Amino acid sequence: MTADFMTLAAQRIRIVLVGTQHPGNIGSAARAMKTMGLARLFLVAPERPLDGEAFALAAGANDVLDGACIVDGLAEALAGCHRVLGCTARSRRVALPESTPRDAAADLIGAALRGDVALVFGRERTGLTNDELHLCHGAVHIPANPDYSSLNLAAAVQVLAYEIRLAILAGAELDRDRPGDPAASHEQMEGFYAQLAETLDAIDFHKGRAPDSAMRKLRRLFNRASPDEREVRLLRGVLADAQRIARIAADRRPAETPAVPGARGLD
Ligand code: SAH
């Protein structure tokens, strides 16, 4: 994905509110969305139309309310989405894989790279019906106080929107750090390992021990990180400097550490 990772990811996420009873909650949800950079609001058969209270509580997120798609059924709101997660205040209510908001956000951002995704919220009084949950691929539960686990609808939207924001920011950073550099080839990694082995010798890292075990562990570590070409060049630059400093230290050593303490003055 390219530079506009954030915009694209945010545009592909639908927030779907089903059967909302209080227009004020829709306004607060719109505000929660906008603060986190989300704008695509779907309202499935709200009980009452958007009113003054909704706009007052949106507090400047009027554009999100104005742009809301109002539809009759959940299936309509989900048309074109290939990944759908439903938020439930009660844990383990349905036989759906359940995740935390953090994992759900990562899941949705990953899926948003391939197309539209949706996050569904239920009614204030009764949540989502089982039929509605069955349209979802997974459930999300905010691990709240088990004795009092039901958040206000807009507060639940805020928690999820925040996690989505963090996931998008993390994704954007990865994207910036790795602007499509190809993964280092086998030969490049072997070149790096050869230089690493030479450097460890030059800085006397092994101190008489056999080098094999340390090199095996270091290979495992760097293979796990699967650096790209640019990162391998950076690592080799660090090694080259360490080798240079080791050479300087080796050249200076006889003069700075005379064989007999205090012998220098006698020369
Ligand atoms: N009394 C309802 C709660 C509805 S709260 C019930 O027991 O289901 C309105 C909506 O906010 C819920 O349908 C859900 O989508 C979301 N929500 C509230 N608390 C939540 C929680 N702890 N985890 C996930 N979603 C929650």
Side-chain angles (χ1 to χ4, degrees):
M1 186 173 280
T2 52
D4 239 1
F5 177 90
M6 295 191 67
T7 319
L8 185 60
Q11 276 169 356
R12 287 188 172 166
I13 297 173
R14 301 181 193 178
I15 299 294
V16 182
L17 308 184
V18 180
T20 311
Q21 285 144 342
H22 302 290
N25 277 336
I26 300 178
S28 298
R31 179 180 187 176
M33 288 170 61
K34 188 166 177 175
T35 54
M36 298 298 134
L38 299 177
R40 295 187 70 196
L41 177 61
F42 282 68
L43 305 174
V44 178
E47 274 198 8
R48 285 191 273 146
L50 294 175
D51 58 10
E53 200 195 349
F55 281 92
L57 286 167
N62 296 8
D63 49 340
V64 176
L65 284 187
D66 287 333
C69 281
I70 304 179
V71 294
D72 292 331
L74 179 56
E76 257 179 274
L78 302 181
C81 289
H82 73 105
R83 185 83 184 142
V84 178
L85 300 180
C87 297
T88 69
R90 281 164 285 169
S91 181
R92 313 258 168 239
R93 199 179 127 186
V94 279
L96 278 177
E98 188 180 285
S99 52
T100 60
R102 192 147 303 169
D103 290 344
D107 174 337
L108 288 175
I109 295 307
L113 300 179
R114 297 190 307 280
D116 277 11
V117 301
L119 191 55
V120 185
F121 295 83
R123 299 158 189 81
E124 293 90 331
R125 239 189 333 271
T126 53
L128 293 167
T129 64
N130 281 343
D131 282 350
E132 286 160 351
L133 277 168
H134 285 133
L135 293 177
C136 301
H137 303 121
V140 188
H141 177 68
I142 301 165
N145 176 357
D147 300 326
Y148 191 73
S149 66
S150 175
L151 279 75
N152 163 266
L153 170 62
V157 171
Q158 185 76 76
V159 170
L160 268 299
Y162 173 64
E163 290 294 344
I164 287 170
R165 176 92 180 154
L166 289 187
I168 290 177
L169 289 173
E173 196 170 311
L174 269 184
D175 211 42
R176 243 194 325 275
D177 285 354
R178 305 189 61 137
D181 265 300
S185 67
H186 177 72
E187 293 74 27
Q188 286 165 331
M189 288 307 287
E190 286 309 311
F192 163 66
Y193 289 132
Q195 190 181 357
L196 179 61
E198 285 167 19
T199 311
L200 295 181
D201 278 340
I203 63 173
D204 193 24
F205 176 77
H206 304 297
K207 302 186 184 55
R209 294 180 302 251
D212 298 11
S213 158
M215 274 309 294
R216 248 195 329 272
K217 287 178 187 151
L218 287 165
R219 273 175 175 269
R220 241 194 338 257
L221 168 66
F222 285 108
N223 285 342
R224 198 163 62 229
S226 81
D228 62 30
E229 287 181 353
R230 208 161 47 118
E231 290 164 334
V232 169
R233 277 199 300 278
L234 176 68
L235 286 168
R236 294 197 65 163
V238 172
L239 294 181
D241 272 1
Q243 288 174 310
R244 184 173 54 80
I245 299 296
R247 266 194 306 275
I248 293 171
D251 290 347
R252 281 198 191 143
R253 199 165 295 138
E256 285 175 2
T257 50
V260 183
R264 193 182 297 178
L266 302 174
D267 285 345

